Amino acid sequence: MKKSHTVIPVMLLALFLAGCNSSSNTTPSDTTPSTGTSTSTSTQTWEGKTNEDFEYAKTTYTDLSGQEQPLTRNTLYLNQNAPHLDSLAPEPHVMIVPFGFTDENLQEKQTPETIERMRKTFFGTPEELAEVGGWESLATYYQKSSYGKSNFQGQVIPSWCVYDGTAEQFKSKYGGGLGVGAAEYAAKWYRTEYAKEGHGSLGADAHPYSWFDSDKDGFLDLVWIVYSQPTGTTSDWWAYVTYTSNSSNKITPTVKTLGFASIDWMNSGFNGYDPHTFIHETGHTYGLDDYYDYKNTWTPMCGVDMMDHNLGDHSMYSKFTLGWTKPLVVDDTAQITLYPGTTTGDCFIIPSPNYNGTAFDEYMMFELMAPVGLAEQDYINGYTGTTGFDVPGVRITHVDARAYKANTDKFNGENVVEPQNCVDLILDNTYGGRITENDYFETSSGGKSYMYNYGLMVSNGKTWEKGLSVDSGALFKKGARFNLDEGSSWAQTMPSGSNLWNKAKVNNGKYSNYTIDKTCTFDYSIRVVSIEEDATYGYKAVVQVTKR
């Protein structure tokens, strides 16, 4: 669901990388969960480079004082004074508010039983969910998806915060800012209840209000409003993440990032304990974007991603930007062994020329998809009409996650060597969406071939047609090959319509004055040598990369 930017405007001017001279700036992995350094029997006769010969990309940077700091999506949001939920926080304290109204028809929903369902949906243990026919709770999902790096913690408030009026009166007062209005109302209500004898309806064991600011930055870590009003088809009563314009207050922390969704989303499946929508929206609170097209013109990821059609696990690209995994940076001929990313964090990238060594650049991402771990349930059974990959295969995606700086006077022709100083990504996945004059390649007919943030290279040659969903035929199986040679369907999926990277288009001081660096090309061919079962991880793949 759409991530709202109505409160804090994001500058739309973009910073483009200019030079395409090849270089590598990577560091070895230290805490990555990857197990991809093993080799299989399929590679015993291979005498060239393997996993051990390449370094891992960086998920940190060194600050001016010499201290190592995380480099994640939250880093970019901190630079625009809009802190999100820290994807590497040891124990955030999220305030989850059951939010009600005085309408008589909503009273049957605003019960302790609904709060208990909410608690299990957000924080239920595997044993509790097994008893009620659930899947994962939001907390167990993120613990697994992050390989233990993100421990989603907090509390579902044990009583209803009931607005002093009906849902319609609430809407009339707050207009298009229902989420912000509800979060501000709930924060004030919590402070009022806590000040009462025995902490009022919060109970004697209630946490002090400041407990919900675990990092003491003057903002509540995250406020989740789960309201009793039925979800609608408009942006008012919908599920989204947004922000306030509040300043930090370390004495009385203020609301900054918040989630807003109806309790109805719990009823989408799993006997009323369905976490999918809340997991997707929480992805936004970590800083992730939607991967579907708001204009419904094309389908870059074809539905199969938690940030697309709420399906399965997060992608390795998402996890890279959150600091949960480090891909191998493969820039030479080699055979690389991969295990399923959803359970191991395995992945590798082929970098574009002049790669800056981080998630915030342009590259090809390779990961082994398989119906295991968090992907198993949704890939085999599907979710809300979208099916996943029910047999294993290698997924190849083109990523352009270049970022731009707050100082937009410096974007022209400058390489992003320090993404930690940037505020957002240049591109999203909406067709002609976050557009400057440089965000497309001209076609031979004089049209515009728009750049995108994150797009699937489909093995069976299907295009990104409106509403297209894919099956396991989209993955690269044993013997399959991939390249961007002239005339290939994959080259046509690139914005350039060729083997040129996006950064081959270079600004020369003004958007209307640009050049195309024809040496900035993808000069590799890929072959999937084998995909076979593995006793420990379910499956493993061997991928041969040939640098031309």
Side-chain angles (χ1 to χ4, degrees):
M1 286 99 189
K2 186 172 183 178
K3 186 178 181 182
S4 172
H5 290 274
T6 57
V7 181
I8 297 179
V10 177
M11 293 173 291
L12 299 182
L13 289 177
L15 170 60
F16 286 90
L17 303 181
C20 283
N21 297 320
S22 179
S23 66
S24 177
N25 184 16
T26 57
T27 55
S29 173
D30 48 8
T31 60
T32 177
S34 173
T35 57
T37 55
S38 301
T39 57
S40 72
T41 55
S42 302
T43 62
Q44 287 181 352
T45 59
W46 176 256
E47 297 180 355
K49 292 184 177 180
T50 59
N51 297 53
E52 292 87 348
D53 296 299
F54 299 96
E55 295 183 328
Y56 289 91
K58 297 185 299 184
T59 55
T60 62
Y61 72 96
T62 303
D63 65 19
L64 295 177
S65 66
Q67 299 297 310
E68 191 173 50
Q69 302 291 346
L71 178 55
T72 67
R73 284 305 305 267
N74 191 44
T75 307
L76 276 59
Y77 281 102
L78 285 171
N79 290 339
Q80 55 174 283
N81 195 34
H84 280 46
L85 191 62
D86 185 351
S87 56
L88 299 174
E91 189 174 311
H93 295 162
V94 180
M95 179 187 288
I96 301 164
V97 183
F99 196 81
F101 307 93
T102 58
D103 306 66
E104 288 187 12
N105 65 313
L106 298 180
Q107 301 309 305
E108 63 182 17
K109 295 183 177 182
Q110 294 168 191
T111 64
E113 290 75 22
T114 302
I115 292 178
E116 176 61 9
R117 263 202 310 132
M118 201 180 301
R119 184 195 67 79
K120 289 180 180 177
T121 301
F122 276 85
F123 297 112
T125 65
E127 293 76 18
E128 289 176 322
L129 293 169
E131 289 179 358
V132 297
W135 171 51
E136 299 279 349
S137 66
L138 189 146
T140 61
Y141 178 95
Y142 275 105
Q143 195 278 334
K144 293 176 181 178
S145 186
S146 68
Y147 317 107
K149 289 184 170 64
S150 178
N151 295 297
F152 187 93
Q153 300 292 324
Q155 182 187 29
V156 175
I157 305 306
S159 63
W160 285 90
C161 171
V162 179
Y163 176 71
D164 188 20
T166 66
E168 186 59 35
Q169 289 170 336
F170 176 77
K171 181 179 176 181
S172 296
K173 180 173 182 177
Y174 291 102
L178 300 189
V180 171
E184 296 282 23
Y185 188 96
K188 182 178 179 180
W189 168 83
Y190 192 98
R191 295 193 300 271
T192 300
E193 289 297 309
Y194 191 83
K196 295 178 180 178
E197 183 177 356
H199 307 317
S201 62
L202 302 177
D205 296 329
H207 296 291
Y209 176 76
S210 60
W211 183 81
F212 293 99
D213 177 18
S214 65
D215 57 4
K216 308 305 177 186
D217 66 350
F219 296 114
L220 300 179
D221 291 353
L222 172 65
V223 178
W224 245 115
I225 299 295
V226 186
Y227 56 85
S228 61
Q229 172 75 359
T231 191
T233 57
T234 68
S235 59
D236 297 323
W237 300 109
W238 196 239
Y240 61 80
V241 167
T242 191
Y243 330 100
T244 74
S245 57
N246 291 335
S247 299
S248 169
N249 186 327
K250 295 186 178 181
I251 298 175
T252 305
T254 60
V255 177
K256 177 58 77 172
T257 301
L258 61 106
F260 186 71
S262 171
I263 60 175
D264 285 359
W265 292 108
M266 295 191 297
N267 299 326
S268 298
F270 301 98
N271 298 320
Y273 297 86
D274 190 347
H276 281 79
T277 293
F278 301 99
I279 290 170
H280 172 101
E281 296 302 329
T282 298
H284 289 316
T285 73
Y286 281 117
L288 298 177
D289 293 324
D290 285 315
Y291 297 151
Y292 58 82
D293 173 22
Y294 295 158
K295 296 184 178 180
N296 197 26
T297 300
W298 59 2
T299 55
M301 288 307 296
C302 302
V304 186
D305 192 275
M306 180 50 70
M307 300 312 296
D308 195 337
H309 283 188
N310 302 12
L311 193 79
D313 195 3
H314 285 294
S315 68
M316 293 301 103
Y317 162 60
S318 292
K319 297 184 186 190
F320 187 16
T321 68
L322 297 177
W324 294 344
T325 195
K326 298 178 183 180
L328 284 170
V329 181
V330 179
D331 57 1
D332 203 350
T333 298
Q335 280 197 355
I336 304 298
T337 300
L338 288 175
Y339 294 95
T342 186
T343 51
T344 69
D346 263 11
C347 57
F348 74 89
I349 64 171
I350 293 179
S352 61
N354 205 24
Y355 173 58
N356 66 18
T358 77
F360 305 105
D361 205 328
E362 187 180 7
Y363 43 86
M364 290 285 180
M365 172 70 78
F366 298 78
E367 56 192 305
L368 176 58
M369 312 300 292
V372 296
L374 287 177
E376 181 176 4
Q377 165 69 38
D378 289 350
Y379 281 9
I380 293 176
N381 298 321
Y383 181 71
T384 60
T386 302
T387 55
F389 304 127
D390 58 359
V391 296
V394 175
R395 182 164 72 177
I396 303 175
T397 44
H398 172 221
V399 176
D400 187 350
R402 292 176 292 168
Y404 65 89
K405 292 184 180 179
N407 185 353
T408 55
D409 293 333
K410 295 184 178 180
F411 68 84
N412 284 312
E414 183 174 301
N415 181 31
V416 185
V417 293
E418 297 179 339
Q420 65 268 21
N421 296 325
C422 293
V423 296
D424 207 349
L425 303 184
I426 293 171
L427 303 171
D428 59 21
N429 269 4
T430 290
Y431 187 83
R434 189 178 302 168
I435 288 301
T436 67
E437 288 189 40
N438 199 50
D439 291 344
Y440 64 86
F441 280 83
E442 293 180 3
T443 65
S444 57
S445 61
K448 296 179 179 180
S449 178
Y450 288 112
M451 297 180 187
Y452 52 82
N453 164 227
Y454 183 42
L456 180 67
M457 295 290 168
V458 183
S459 175
N460 56 13
K462 293 181 180 179
T463 59
W464 298 347
E465 299 168 1
K466 179 179 178 179
L468 174 69
S469 60
V470 299
D471 55 24
S472 295
L475 302 178
F476 289 78
K477 311 296 176 42
K478 179 180 179 181
R481 298 175 183 269
F482 169 80
N483 58 63
L484 295 183
D485 292 348
E486 183 177 357
S488 74
S489 60
W490 308 301
Q492 296 306 309
T493 305
M494 295 288 285
S496 65
S498 68
N499 67 345
L500 289 173
W501 295 94
N502 287 354
K503 64 170 71 170
K505 188 172 183 181
V506 181
N507 284 325
N508 297 312
K510 296 181 179 179
Y511 284 130
S512 58
N513 182 7
Y514 64 86
T515 57
I516 302 294
D517 181 354
K518 294 184 178 180
T519 69
C520 193
T521 55
F522 179 90
D523 297 317
Y524 296 86
S525 62
I526 312 300
R527 181 171 66 91
V528 178
V529 176
S530 64
I531 298 178
E532 53 194 51
E533 293 185 358
D534 179 81
T536 303
Y537 302 108
Y539 299 96
K540 63 182 173 184
V542 177
V543 180
Q544 182 168 312
V545 177
T546 302
K547 185 174 183 180
R548 297 171 176 174

